[in-house]
């Protein structure tokens, strides 16, 4: 028996993780009613190859769109419009469930309290990332589950709004009440939605037992560009992010990572940590002042240059 859960997964030039993702979805203890794949076309022979992979998913539905039509929030909203399920699970093409209980564990978190609007899963690193990224994952995705409400803002700051559409389940009626994801945002549509549900009096659950393998080993330049986009989104939605602690959380992560490296005797990785942190900080600072930069510079600094067209 299938639960009242649909999945929405944007797809664009996927790697081998997509096949493993589909295999894991097909083996879930609680299978989704539908899986809506939002496939952005490349205009090459790759499109047919990807389509054939997607068609291996049980209860899968493939919807195609042109690259110029893709939007972080808008494309997910299009997928949600196809669903009539009570719960919608948004995932990315490179997040692979650890076991067959991902949907079951997210459902448990959602159904434990009707005030829970969103439940997001734990992201674990793969074997390809280094010690620093592994610790960052542990910092952001600890082994203990938790819930966050508006009352946590003074203590947690911006982490109150932390949520990731890499693997996040939403209660449909609250999603619709919030008007869906924001349109034409460069980044951060998940945290913007999270801020709305928190401010509306709902809560966000972190389901640590709902686990996916998802991690990236970014270069210094990629760290810069990713944090540039992050800051752009916060600047554009300043009414949400102004006045809550943000940069201090990054500083806390750097300090704790440094102590962790020293405790492991891997102090030689500290220069790498310093460079990573420096590029993140510079990207964030430039992003906060993006409106003073020429469009060409914004495109060069961004991970999403087409956004500035």
């Amino acid at each position: 028996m299938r639960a009242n859960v649909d999945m929405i997964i944007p797809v664009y030039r996927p790697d081998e993780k997509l096949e493993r993702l589909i295999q894991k979805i097909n083996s879930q203890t609680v299978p989704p009613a539908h899986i809506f794949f939002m496939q952005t076309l490349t205009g090459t022979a790759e499109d047919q190859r990807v389509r054939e992979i997607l068609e291996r998913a049980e209860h899968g539905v493939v919807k195609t769109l042109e690259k110029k039509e893709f939007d972080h929030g808008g494309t997910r909203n299009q997928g949600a419009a196809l669903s009539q399920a009570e719960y919608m699970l948004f995932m990315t093409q490179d997040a692979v469930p650890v076991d067959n209980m991902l949907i079951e564990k997210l459902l448990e978190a959602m159904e434990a309290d009707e005030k829970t609007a969103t439940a997001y899963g734990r992201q674990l690193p793969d074997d390809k990332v280094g010690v620093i990224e592994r610790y960052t994952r542990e910092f952001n995705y600890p082994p203990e589950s938790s819930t966050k409400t508006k009352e946590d803002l003074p203590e947690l700051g911006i982490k109150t709004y932390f949520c990731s559409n890499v693997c996040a389940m939403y209660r449909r009626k609250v999603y619709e009440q919030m008007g869906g994801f924001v349109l034409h945002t460069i980044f951060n549509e998940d945290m913007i939605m999270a801020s709305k549900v928190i401010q509306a009096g709902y809560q966000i659950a972190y389901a640590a037992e709902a686990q996916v393998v998802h991690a990236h080993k970014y270069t210094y330049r990629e760290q810069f560009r990713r944090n540039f986009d992050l800051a752009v989104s916060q600047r554009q939605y300043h009414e949400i992010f102004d006045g809550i602690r943000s940069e201090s959380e990054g500083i806390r992560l750097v300090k704790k990572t440094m102590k962790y490296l020293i405790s492991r005797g891997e102090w030689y990785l500290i220069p790498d940590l310093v460079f990573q942190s420096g590029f993140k900080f510079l990207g964030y600072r430039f992003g906060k002042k993006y409106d003073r930069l020429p469009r060409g510079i914004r495109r060069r600094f961004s991970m999403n240059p087409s956004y500035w067209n």
Side-chain angles (χ1 to χ4, degrees):
M1 181 177 178
R2 297 198 301 275
N4 197 10
V5 178
D6 283 341
M7 298 182 70
I8 294 98
I9 306 177
V11 177
Y12 179 67
R13 289 188 168 171
D15 59 19
E16 76 285 348
K17 298 185 188 74
L18 178 63
E19 295 187 61
R20 287 188 274 135
L21 166 61
I22 290 174
Q23 290 171 0
K24 288 291 188 179
I25 294 174
N26 285 343
S27 68
Q28 291 293 299
T29 56
V30 179
H34 303 92
I35 311 167
F36 297 108
F37 295 106
M38 310 301 291
Q39 182 187 4
T40 300
L41 300 176
T42 65
T44 68
E46 180 185 12
D47 293 332
Q48 181 57 36
R49 181 188 66 83
V50 172
R51 176 84 182 220
E52 291 171 359
I53 294 173
L54 298 179
E55 289 175 347
R56 299 174 195 168
E58 297 174 10
H59 317 295
V61 179
V62 182
K63 296 294 181 180
T64 59
L65 60 151
E66 300 296 327
K67 186 176 180 181
K68 64 182 179 181
E69 299 176 290
F70 177 81
D71 177 79
H72 284 284
T75 298
R76 289 176 169 86
N77 288 344
Q78 289 178 40
L82 300 172
S83 170
Q84 296 299 318
E86 182 179 1
Y87 300 105
M88 299 180 296
L89 172 55
F90 292 87
M91 291 187 67
T92 55
Q93 65 189 22
D94 58 350
V96 181
V98 169
D99 54 33
N100 62 355
M101 298 183 68
L102 177 73
I103 297 177
E104 181 177 337
K105 293 301 181 182
L106 288 170
L107 271 175
E108 286 179 3
M110 294 294 293
E111 295 180 339
D113 193 325
E114 63 180 12
K115 288 187 177 180
T116 300
T118 306
Y120 66 99
R122 186 182 185 192
Q123 296 182 33
L124 301 175
D126 59 25
D127 295 332
K128 297 178 182 178
V129 301
V131 175
I132 294 173
E133 176 59 24
R134 280 183 171 277
Y135 185 78
T136 299
R137 277 286 181 264
E138 187 79 13
F139 180 85
N140 289 324
Y141 300 95
E144 305 83 16
S145 297
S146 61
T147 57
K148 297 177 289 187
T149 69
K150 194 173 182 179
E151 285 67 41
D152 292 309
L153 278 167
E155 179 181 353
L156 297 180
I158 199 168
K159 289 203 80 170
T160 311
Y161 298 155
F162 186 75
C163 181
S164 175
N165 275 346
V166 164
C167 177
M169 184 176 285
Y170 293 79
R171 194 180 299 272
R172 164 175 289 285
K173 67 177 183 180
V174 180
Y175 163 90
E176 292 178 343
Q177 180 185 338
M178 298 299 111
F181 297 113
V182 295
L183 301 177
H184 197 56
T185 180
I186 192 170
F187 194 56
N188 237 17
E189 82 289 337
D190 37 24
M191 285 186 67
I192 294 168
M193 171 66 85
S195 71
K196 291 180 179 179
V197 302
I198 288 288
Q199 291 297 332
Y202 294 100
Q203 64 188 28
I204 295 172
Y206 166 58
E209 293 183 346
Q211 300 176 353
V212 296
V213 175
H214 178 264
H216 295 282
K217 187 172 178 59
Y218 291 117
T219 64
Y220 297 145
R221 183 185 180 192
E222 288 169 339
Q223 296 277 18
F224 176 97
R225 298 172 75 191
R226 188 172 188 275
N227 277 265
F228 176 83
D229 288 354
L230 172 65
V232 168
S233 71
Q234 291 187 10
R235 177 75 176 82
Q236 290 176 334
Y237 292 88
H238 61 89
E239 69 279 4
I240 294 174
F241 296 103
D242 283 357
I244 60 173
R245 192 173 72 249
S246 176
E247 291 181 38
S248 60
E249 189 65 19
I251 295 171
R252 189 167 78 90
L253 171 59
V254 173
K255 289 181 177 179
K256 288 180 72 71
T257 306
M258 191 172 294
K259 290 180 180 178
Y260 176 74
L261 293 175
I262 293 172
S263 71
R264 287 171 53 95
E266 296 178 303
W267 51 267
Y268 54 86
L269 293 175
I270 290 177
D272 185 26
L273 172 65
V274 171
F275 275 106
Q276 283 191 36
S277 304
F279 276 86
K280 286 180 182 180
F281 178 76
L282 287 173
Y284 188 83
R285 280 300 193 183
F286 275 108
K288 280 289 189 178
K289 301 180 185 300
Y290 80 93
D291 50 344
R292 303 181 189 178
L293 301 175
R295 179 179 295 184
I297 296 296
R298 297 179 203 175
R299 287 176 55 85
R300 289 185 63 185
F301 282 0
S302 176
M303 286 194 88
N304 299 280
S306 61
Y307 173 83
W308 302 102
N309 290 341

